[in-house]
């Protein structure tokens, strides 16, 4: 009898454990079925210390807070390959597709038409659709503040600016930066070298060397997704103003500050609205008051008197009492482009900024 009882108990125990295991598997599967899945295409790498990494860290922080799944693909080219990757992510269950570069625009439009029930987020994009959300920050505000830093820090009055492409986004930043420089140092010139690449290290490195060796720049600023200009500045012993992330610990001898992104402030509320069934496609251009765009803390390399000037101007931006492109503003040929008492309209800043303010000099390679 004792032997039968032991066998019976063992069978009962095995049965209970089996039911427990099957139930847990079922619940886990059901939980995964209901878990939102987000796919993101990066034009560079997630550890680039810049644009890609800022999105990676911001989106992952949002994922931890809201408990959604993230899949990603790095170094995605601007061709049909990106369409194939988007469609593969959708087939794998992604409900939201994020593309982190302006250059993916035409491909996003094609895939979005094919998949009207999928939401597409296009960072820096300008063409919104029924299921395409475009979003960016008023980073030109932080560019202006970093220009104040450069204008007060320079000794040669020659400031270098490594820039990827002459599109509205980049031109807007160059002009805002230069207006910041000019506001505190009207004798300074901002020299711009185009690289025709966001991420190519060698091209951005060459541009930085040109600015230092040919243009006599003692400060290097940048609008690219490579840290090459920062590497050159540290090696050459000139000051640097970064972009995308605070890299002050990596460049202790040269780094001054940087306009930086805080992407979780965008991704968390937008994806939360989607998960709640309250989401609709829109266009967002968010300013300093939202926390999306920030200026990295000024390092100890910055002259002490600079901090108060920057803080005063930022407080005015936060309060909405000051913005950058307020007339009168002249271009670099002396023509008034923004009359006195007028602001530049958002649509012009976003889509057709094709001129440069007084103080900008475009380097023409021979």
């Amino acid at each position: 009898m004792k032997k039968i009882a032991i066998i019976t108990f063992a069978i009962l125990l095995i049965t209970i454990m089996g039911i427990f295991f099957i139930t847990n598997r079922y619940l886990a599967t059901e939980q995964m079925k209901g878990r939102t899945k987000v796919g993101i295409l990066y034009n560079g790498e997630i550890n680039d210390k810049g644009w890609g990494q800022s999105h990676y860290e911001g989106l992952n922080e949002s994922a931890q807070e809201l408990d959604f799944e993230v899949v990603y693909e790095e170094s995605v080219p601007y061709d049909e390959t990106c369409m194939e990757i988007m469609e593969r992510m959708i087939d794998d269950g992604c409900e939201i597709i994020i593309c982190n570069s302006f250059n993916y625009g035409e491909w996003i439009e094609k895939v979005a038409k094919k998949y009207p029930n999928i939401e597409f987020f296009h960072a820096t994009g300008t063409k919104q659709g029924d299921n395409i959300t475009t979003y960016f920050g008023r980073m030109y505000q932080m560019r202006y503040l970093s220009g104040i830093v450069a204008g007060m820090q320079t000794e040669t009055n020659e400031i270098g600016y490594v820039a990827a492409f002459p599109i509205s986004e980049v031109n807007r930043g160059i002009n805002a930066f230069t207006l910041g420089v000019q506001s505190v140092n009207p004798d300074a010139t901002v020299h711009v070298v185009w690289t025709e690449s966001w991420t190519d290290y060698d091209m951005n490195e060459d541009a930085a060397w040109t600015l230092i060796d040919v243009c006599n720049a003692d400060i290097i600023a940048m609008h690219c997704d490579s840290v090459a200009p920062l590497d050159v500045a540290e090696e050459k012993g000139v000051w640097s103003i970064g972009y995308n992330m605070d890299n002050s610990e990596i460049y202790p001898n040269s780094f001054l500050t940087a306009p930086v992104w805080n992407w979780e402030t965008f991704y968390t509320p937008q994806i939360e609205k989607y998960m709640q069934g309250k989401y609709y496609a829109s266009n967002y251009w968010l300013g300093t008051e939202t926390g999306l765009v920030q200026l990295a803390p000024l390092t100890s390399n910055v002259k002490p008197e600079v901090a108060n000037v920057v803080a005063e101007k930022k407080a005015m931006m936060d309060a909405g009492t000051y913005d950058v492109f307020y007339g009168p503003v002249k271009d670099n040929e002396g023509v008034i482009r923004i009359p006195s008492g007028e602001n530049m309209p958002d649509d012009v800043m976003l889509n057709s900024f094709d001129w440069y303010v007084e103080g900008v000099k475009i380097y023409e390679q021979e």
Side-chain angles (χ1 to χ4, degrees), residues 268-283:
T268 297
Q270 300 309 319
I271 295 176
E272 185 175 35
K273 283 190 287 187
Y274 174 84
M275 295 169 71
Q276 294 172 345
K278 301 176 181 178
Y279 186 80
Y280 59 92
S282 188
N283 171 262

Side-chain angles (χ1 to χ4, degrees), residues 24 27 41 136 153 237 239 255 269 345:
N24 276 355
L27 290 174
L41 284 67
F136 201 42
Q153 188 81 13
W239 304 121
F255 200 85

Side-chain angles (χ1 to χ4, degrees), residues 29-133:
T29 301
E30 289 303 305
Q31 184 180 19
M32 287 302 293
K33 283 181 181 178
R35 195 176 182 212
T36 300
K37 193 172 184 179
V38 177
I40 179 167
L41 284 67
Y42 294 100
N43 66 333
E45 298 177 346
I46 61 171
N47 61 348
D48 62 1
K49 302 180 182 67
W51 178 252
Q53 189 169 337
S54 70
H55 281 274
Y56 179 78
E57 293 184 358
L59 186 61
N60 279 3
E61 187 169 326
S62 298
Q64 291 178 13
E65 182 176 344
L66 300 177
D67 190 31
F68 60 83
E69 183 182 358
V70 179
V71 296
Y72 65 86
E73 192 81 26
E74 298 176 87
S75 302
V76 178
Y78 308 127
D79 57 27
E80 290 188 358
T81 305
C82 70
M83 289 182 61
E84 295 170 3
I85 292 171
M86 283 186 257
E87 292 185 337
R88 187 179 72 230
M89 287 179 171
I90 293 168
D91 289 340
D92 289 342
C94 289
E95 303 168 51
I96 297 173
I97 300 294
I98 300 172
C99 292
N100 84 328
S101 174
F102 173 86
N103 301 73
Y104 292 126
E106 64 174 298
W107 310 106
I108 293 172
E109 291 181 61
K110 292 178 181 179
V111 181
K113 289 179 181 177
K114 188 175 178 180
Y115 297 92
N117 294 325
I118 302 298
E119 295 295 341
F120 294 82
F121 289 9
H122 186 195
T124 78
T126 56
K127 293 185 179 180
Q128 182 195 346
D130 291 339
N131 58 334
I132 301 175
T133 287

